[in-house]
Amino acid sequence: MSSSSTTAASPSPIAAELLDADAKNAKRIKCRLCNCLILREHIGVLQDREIFLHHSRQPRVVEEPAPAATAPAGETVRNFWVVDDMFRFENIGFTKPIDDPASPHTTTYKYLTCADCEKEVLGIQIGGEAHLYLSCERVDYV
């Protein structure tokens, strides 16, 4: 009767051609929606870490809002390119800091998005961490 708005991550193997000898991205990373360059090769370090990311477009609530206990619509993503400095990106945008008590994150966070189209959540910066996590599955490679 009830459908879950959250899906669990399944380990997705990263293709060998996407990795260089140092476990960094061997190819350039582009936005899969507008083809804008986001990250040059040999910058992001592959990390296997489960992080919840909201879906890009949340349904607009017309009737009563859902109870606070309802899980937000999104998925747990497992593989990320970790970048240690936001200035290493070619083109990335950030949301304002989000402090959502219904979120699975225990601290404030900012979502990463393509600075050109701003149509999709591509990654996250959690709390005061310097690291930025770019989802391996939400981008294209060239």
Side-chain angles (χ1 to χ4, degrees):
M1 178 170 164
S2 72
S3 65
S4 173
S5 58
T6 305
T7 57
S10 60
S12 60
I14 299 300
E17 68 266 9
L18 297 180
L19 293 171
D20 67 11
D22 297 322
K24 292 185 177 182
N25 60 303
K27 296 187 176 196
R28 289 180 293 159
I29 297 174
K30 291 192 169 196
C31 174
R32 64 183 177 180
L33 299 178
C34 75
N35 211 28
C36 177
L37 179 63
I38 293 173
L39 191 66
R40 294 197 183 277
E41 55 269 66
H42 314 296
I43 295 174
V45 179
L46 181 64
Q47 186 177 69
D48 181 3
R49 176 178 175 181
E50 289 188 355
I51 301 176
F52 178 85
L53 295 179
H54 283 92
H55 290 305
S56 299
R57 299 281 182 202
Q58 299 293 322
R60 189 166 190 197
V61 177
V62 177
E63 26 340 295
E64 296 262 333
T70 301
E75 62 183 336
T76 301
V77 179
R78 179 144 184 193
N79 295 304
F80 291 89
W81 298 112
V82 180
V83 179
D84 60 358
D85 183 353
M86 69 180 178
F87 296 108
R88 302 292 312 265
F89 286 98
E90 294 299 315
N91 196 12
I92 200 76
F94 295 86
T95 63
K96 293 180 181 180
I98 301 167
D99 186 12
D100 181 4
S103 169
H105 302 294
T106 58
T107 184
T108 60
Y109 56 95
K110 296 178 188 176
Y111 280 128
L112 281 60
T113 186
C114 171
D116 273 5
C117 71
E118 297 182 348
K119 291 184 178 178
E120 186 171 28
V121 173
L122 301 178
I124 192 167
Q125 181 181 28
I126 301 172
E129 288 185 31
H131 294 113
L132 303 136
Y133 299 91
L134 182 65
S135 170
C136 294
E137 291 88 19
R138 294 187 178 189
V139 294
D140 280 339
Y141 301 91
V142 291

